[in-house]
Each structure stands twice: as structure tokens, then as C-alpha cells.
Amino acid sequence: MCKRLLVCAKGTFHPRFVQSHVLAAKMKDTCRVTYSAFLCPNRQTVEVLSTDEEQAKYAGRKAELFGKEKNPRRIVTRLADTAHAFGSRTQALIEVLGETDTPTLVLCNLSSYAARVNSALKSAGLRHAKATSYQLGLAEKDYHDVVYFESPIVNSYYLLDIEAGLAPDARIWHFVSDMKVDRLLFNQVTHELKQINELTEELYAVTHRSQA
């Protein structure tokens, strides 16, 4: 069974409202799972500390948006755009990638953001890494490790598809800064990943018990 099928099953059954062991019991007769977990185990959260100047820019942008925008999602999107563009984040990426020579895919929300990152990687001489959007990343083949440089703002299922296709020994770095909006997006997607992983573990356990 492909991991992507399990993601679809999760979306169908809405497991955020049902405990994973209950779902697993309902699914065990129609599923075959050959892997004991959905998430690659070799993963690291990269905590980025913003500079005082960046903190001030973020505060100013936040005040501006709350003063003119009424749509909460638009505020989150614009603030996230601000936080993701800070130099401290890019510098942290360069430092992480400088410690590996394994082909690595760096994932951003939009292609325009990825182009900016690719320019920084080229200037730093990091030829083994390439940045792209989550959506376009599904078509990439020549990489082993992954950087979730920005947590998804929308359409987080693209990240799930990327994760589903990774080799078991792939390394993952997930970036998050000390900006509140960045932590919000990070918490949302990591919560979703945790739910999927728990369902996978329960489904693997119950199907293998029934086969014993």
C-alpha cells in the first residue's frame, strides 16, 4: 500500500474528531500496511532567532495589517510572507546545507519565494540544493533530503505528498522562527503530521496482529 493512499484515507475519515485506534479498527479489513510509521524518523526542527531589526519590521507590518485588513487569513498570509523573507532565516538555511553534500530539496510556498532562495544558495556555492514550491516539488526526482523552509500557508497536502515519497533514511529539516505567525503555521502542519503518523502506527499494529 502506498503512503499516499493512507493520506487519502485520513482525509476521508476526518480523524481529528476520532481517535486513531478507532479508525484503525474500522480500516483494518480493507487496508494492508507494510510500514510502521508515516513520518521519516530522521527529522530536525531548525529554530531561527530573528534580529532586533527583523522583530521591529515584523511588529510594524503586523500593526499595518491589523489596521487595514479584515480577513484573518489574509493577515496570516501577509505576515508569514514577511517572516519568511528575513535574512536570518536564509542564513540559517545556508548554515544547515553547508554541513551536508546530499542532494536536497528546499520547499517554499511559492515559486517566487523559491527563486529568491535559489539565488542565495547559488551565491553561497551550495550546488547540491534546489528550492522550489511545494506544488512543483512533487515533480522533482533528483534529491534525497528535504528542507521544509516555510510551513505551508494553504494546501498542506502538498507537503504530505512530499513526505509520503521520501526514502526511509531521508533527512528532514523543518524551519520555524520566533515570529508568532510562523509558529502558528508550524504547529498546524506538525499537528496534522502527528495525527497521520499515529493513525499509521495504529493501523500497522492492528493489521499485523490480525495477520499473526
Side-chain angles (χ1 to χ4, degrees):
M1 173 179 161
C2 173
K3 287 185 180 179
R4 285 188 179 85
L5 294 180
L6 186 56
V7 176
C8 294
K10 174 184 182 294
T12 301
F13 287 101
H14 304 292
R16 72 175 58 187
F17 302 115
V18 183
Q19 291 184 330
S20 58
H21 72 276
V22 176
L23 277 177
K26 291 179 179 292
M27 297 168 61
K28 66 184 179 68
D29 293 331
T30 57
C31 294
R32 181 171 60 87
V33 183
T34 58
Y35 48 92
S36 59
F38 178 81
L39 298 179
C40 292
N42 193 358
R43 55 200 313 119
Q44 177 183 345
T45 299
V46 180
E47 304 269 357
V48 179
L49 296 178
S50 306
T51 66
D52 290 342
E53 181 181 3
E54 290 169 343
Q55 292 278 2
K57 287 182 178 179
Y58 178 84
R61 181 62 167 153
K62 179 179 177 180
E64 175 191 355
L65 289 170
F66 273 88
K68 70 178 184 180
E69 293 285 358
K70 303 300 182 184
N71 187 315
R73 173 54 62 181
R74 191 171 295 141
I75 292 173
V76 168
T77 299
R78 302 290 189 274
L79 272 178
D81 289 345
T82 299
H84 293 160
F86 285 143
S88 58
R89 194 185 199 92
T90 305
Q91 183 57 41
L93 175 66
I94 290 171
E95 291 173 3
V96 166
L97 293 177
E99 297 177 358
T100 177
D101 58 3
T102 304
T104 303
L105 193 66
V106 181
L107 291 154
C108 304
N109 280 290
L110 296 175
S111 296
S112 57
Y113 304 171
R116 182 177 60 211
V117 173
N118 278 325
S119 178
L121 296 177
K122 182 178 180 181
S123 296
L126 299 172
R127 308 293 180 183
H128 62 286
K130 175 184 178 180
T132 189
S133 68
Y134 282 102
Q135 184 173 3
L136 295 180
L138 297 175
E140 294 290 338
K141 302 297 182 184
D142 298 327
Y143 67 93
H144 185 270
D145 298 339
V146 161
V147 175
Y148 298 140
F149 188 58
E150 303 168 358
S151 294
I153 298 174
V154 294
N155 300 334
S156 61
Y157 52 83
Y158 289 128
L159 182 150
L160 301 181
D161 274 347
I162 294 289
E163 181 91 24
L166 294 176
D169 62 343
R171 288 180 294 180
I172 297 172
W173 295 271
H174 197 157
F175 277 59
V176 61
S177 74
D178 50 3
M179 302 296 181
K180 188 174 181 179
V181 70
D182 203 22
R183 178 62 63 175
L184 170 68
L185 296 171
F186 175 85
N187 288 343
Q188 286 177 347
V189 73
T190 52
H191 177 64
E192 188 172 355
L193 288 169
K194 180 175 180 289
Q195 287 183 313
I196 293 174
N197 201 59
E198 288 176 352
L199 175 57
T200 306
E201 292 173 339
E202 289 288 347
L203 192 55
Y204 181 84
V206 73
T207 54
H208 281 68
R209 282 200 300 269
S210 64
Q211 295 168 7

